[in-house]
Amino acid sequence: MKNNDFLKFFSLFALSVFILFILMIVMSIVTNISLETFYYALFSKEIQFAIKLSLETASIATIFGTLLGVPAAYALARYDFKGKNIVDSVVELPVILPPLITGFALLVFFGNTVFGKFITEHIIEILFTYKGTIVAQFFVATPFIIRTSKSVFECIDEKYELIAQSLGSKKYESFLDVVIPMAKNGIIAGVILAWARSIGEFGATMMLAGATKMKTETLPIAVFLNISLGDLEKALAVSLIFLIVATLVLFIIRLILKIGENNDRL
């Protein structure tokens, strides 16, 4: 077997094994619920609330993450400053911390520190509200936008910005008009990852926002509540609904991106 053929065989084999593993997990959910339970769960007020809250909070958290994460990534990619390596590592802390510890740390910050208590008492009520869900999702998802965007910014030659500035653009204009369009695909990839991480967030959300039915009940929280009540079939139905919603949204986003890329080529 030629080297290229071996590489093709091995890579396709590895891909097939992983896809098969995913499909087996999905099928273990699908084959253990009845159609009646699925319809009952899908059209129940509780699950419709959970779907709406999941989509809403994940989208808001991702928007805030993008507004903060993209310029932060640019700073890490373009500027040198003291302690940059430490800052670069700190950015990744929310990714490597266990979700329960992340949620507990957020709970302590907003509930027991002077600055955190000032925010919750005078600016925005976070503890055990749906706003806490958004904060938890924002905290764990933003590093994905920063990391992905930073990698793309580092690959873009700075001379393009200097040329734009030499032609009269201000620095922020060269960033918006030159760098952002060139980094568009990488930024969007980070945004998709962040949204996917947000909608699947559970541990940090439960610690900061709590698990209250029809109040802070996202889809992962709904699965947890139904397992706690011993209603395993409904928990499986909610899990399947979560898989369908997440897959559909990601498919739509990728379709929009594909259409955008095709339009750019025209």
Side-chain angles (χ1 to χ4, degrees):
M1 188 181 290
K2 294 180 180 178
N3 288 338
N4 287 339
D5 291 339
F6 173 77
L7 180 61
K8 181 180 178 181
F9 169 79
F10 183 74
S11 57
L12 287 175
F13 175 75
L15 177 63
S16 303
V17 168
F18 191 62
I19 293 296
L20 181 63
F21 185 52
I22 293 174
L23 291 177
M24 287 171 66
I25 298 297
V26 173
M27 288 306 294
S28 69
I29 295 175
V30 174
T31 55
N32 279 287
I33 58 173
S34 65
L35 202 57
E36 290 79 12
T37 305
F38 178 74
Y39 277 119
Y40 170 73
L42 182 61
F43 292 106
S44 69
K45 285 186 179 178
E46 177 194 349
I47 301 309
Q48 288 188 359
F49 174 88
I51 294 172
K52 183 183 174 187
L53 187 66
S54 294
L55 293 174
E56 187 178 301
T57 55
S59 299
I60 294 173
T62 305
I63 289 170
F64 280 117
T66 305
L67 292 175
L68 189 76
V70 173
Y74 184 78
L76 284 172
R78 283 287 188 265
Y79 304 120
D80 289 320
F81 49 86
K82 285 186 178 179
K84 182 178 175 180
N85 287 334
I86 296 174
V87 172
D88 211 5
S89 301
V90 169
V91 165
E92 293 184 349
L93 270 182
V95 176
I96 61 173
L97 279 175
L100 281 177
I101 294 178
T102 299
F104 183 59
L106 287 168
L107 184 64
V108 170
F109 172 74
F110 287 108
N112 290 292
T113 64
V114 175
F115 186 56
K117 287 172 78 173
F118 177 81
I119 293 174
T120 54
E121 291 173 3
H122 300 284
I123 300 176
I124 181 171
E125 189 179 358
I126 290 173
L127 298 179
F128 308 114
T129 67
Y130 81 95
K131 295 166 191 168
T133 303
I134 296 172
V135 172
Q137 291 175 343
F138 165 82
F139 189 75
V140 300
T142 301
F144 290 93
I145 298 174
I146 295 177
R147 190 56 55 204
T148 311
S149 301
K150 176 177 175 277
S151 299
V152 179
F153 289 145
E154 287 175 337
C155 293
I156 297 174
D157 198 323
E158 199 171 354
K159 71 181 180 184
Y160 293 111
E161 293 175 74
L162 298 176
I163 291 171
Q165 289 164 22
S166 70
L167 295 173
S169 293
K170 295 178 180 175
K171 283 191 175 182
Y172 75 90
E173 289 175 333
S174 66
F175 171 71
L176 294 174
D177 298 336
V178 177
V179 179
I180 291 295
M182 294 179 75
K184 180 180 67 177
N185 290 339
I187 292 172
I188 292 173
V191 169
I192 291 174
L193 283 173
W195 185 87
R197 179 68 183 85
S198 295
I199 200 167
E201 212 317 291
F202 171 70
T205 300
M206 192 178 71
M207 293 296 290
L208 186 63
T212 309
K213 207 169 188 178
M214 301 288 283
K215 184 181 178 185
T216 61
E217 189 178 9
T218 58
L219 284 169
I221 296 289
V223 173
F224 169 75
L225 288 174
N226 282 291
I227 291 174
S228 301
L229 294 172
D231 195 345
L232 297 182
E233 197 170 0
K234 189 175 179 184
L236 284 167
V238 178
S239 301
L240 181 59
I241 292 168
F242 177 83
L243 283 171
I244 293 171
V245 170
T247 305
L248 273 177
V249 173
L250 290 175
F251 175 76
I252 291 169
I253 292 173
R254 289 183 184 282
L255 185 64
I256 292 171
L257 286 176
K258 189 73 177 175
I259 293 171
E261 286 177 7
N262 291 336
N263 289 337
D264 289 342
R265 289 172 188 163
L266 295 177

